[in-house]
C-alpha cells in the first residue's frame, strides 16, 4: 500500500456506518476517481468484512435511464457489497447533462431526500 492521501479516505470509510457513493457515469462505469478509492478499499478488506455498513449509490449519466450503464455500475457495487458483507440499501440512477439539471429538478431532489431517510 503506497503512503498517499487515500489513507484519509479509507479511514473515513472505516469509521462510517453509512456511505453514499456518488459518481458520474464515465464509459459505462464509475469515474476513475471513485474507482481509485474502491481499489484502495481492497487493502482493508479483512477489517471491512468485520463491519456492517449501509451503502447507497447515486450515479449520474447523460443517457436515458434505460441505458445499461446504471445497471452495470449497480451490479458492480452489489458484488463489492456482497464481498465485504455490506448492505446496498439503494442504487439510484439519474439522467442529467447540464450543470444545473439536478438542482432544477424538484422531483429528483425530493427523491434524493427520501433515499437519505432510507439509509440513515
Ligand atoms: C469521459 C466521459 C464519459 C462519459 N460516459 C458516459 C456513459 O458511458 N454513459 C452516460 O450516460 N454518460 C456518460 N457521460 C456523460 C456524463 O456521465 C454526464 O454528463 C455527467 O453528468 C457528467 O458529470 P461531471 O460533470 O461530474 O463530469 C460521459 C462523460 C464523460 C466526460
Amino acid at each position: 500500500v503506497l503512503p498517499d492521501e487515500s489513507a484519509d479516505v479509507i479511514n473515513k470509510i472505516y469509521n462510517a456506518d453509512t456511505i453514499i457513493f456518488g459518481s458520474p457515469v464515465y464509459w459505462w462505469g464509475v469515474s476513475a476517481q471513485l474507482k481509485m478509492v474502491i481499489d484502495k478499499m481492497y487493502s482493508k478488506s479483512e477489517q471491512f468484512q468485520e463491519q456492517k455498513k449501509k451503502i447507497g449509490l447515486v450515479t449520474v449519466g447523460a443517457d436515458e435511464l434505460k441505458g445499461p450503464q446504471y445497471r452495470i455500475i449497480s451490479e458492480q457495487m452489489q458484488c463489492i457489497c456482497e464481498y465485504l458483507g455490506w448492505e446496498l440499501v439503494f442504487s439510484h440512477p439519474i439522467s442529467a447533462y447540464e450543470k444545473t439539471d439536478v438542482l432544477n429538478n424538484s422531483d429528483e431532489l425530493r427523491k434524493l431526500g427520501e433515499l437519505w431517510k432510507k439509509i440513515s
Side-chain angles (χ1 to χ4, degrees):
V1 178
L2 298 176
D4 58 23
E5 291 161 6
S6 66
D8 285 347
V9 181
I10 298 303
N11 284 333
K12 281 185 181 163
I13 291 175
Y14 183 79
N15 290 321
D17 298 321
T18 297
I19 303 157
I20 299 178
F21 291 104
S23 179
V25 178
Y26 286 168
W27 293 110
W28 288 267
V30 296
S31 68
Q33 289 84 351
L34 177 58
K35 184 59 169 43
M36 208 165 62
V37 170
I38 291 171
D39 288 349
K40 206 66 180 228
M41 279 164 42
Y42 195 70
S43 64
K44 251 189 161 36
S45 310
E46 286 179 14
Q47 289 99 314
F48 286 153
Q49 280 163 341
E50 291 167 5
Q51 299 183 308
K52 292 279 169 233
K53 292 189 194 294
K54 287 186 175 183
I55 307 300
L57 174 67
V58 177
T59 46
V60 183
D63 199 3
E64 300 170 50
L65 295 180
K66 67 180 182 195
Q69 55 273 61
Y70 308 103
R71 174 181 52 76
I72 290 168
I73 295 173
S74 179
E75 283 179 10
Q76 182 186 25
M77 189 56 77
Q78 180 63 46
C79 290
I80 292 168
C81 286
E82 277 173 25
Y83 177 75
L84 294 174
W86 295 353
E87 182 192 355
L88 182 60
V89 177
F90 67 78
S91 181
H92 184 70
I94 300 173
S95 174
Y97 186 69
E98 297 294 344
K99 230 181 196 172
T100 52
D101 277 356
V102 178
L103 272 180
N104 291 334
N105 185 338
S106 54
D107 189 44
E108 193 53 67
L109 293 179
R110 185 189 50 74
K111 280 186 202 160
L112 287 168
E114 296 297 318
L115 288 174
W116 171 248
K117 283 185 214 158
K118 223 175 172 179
I119 204 170
S120 56

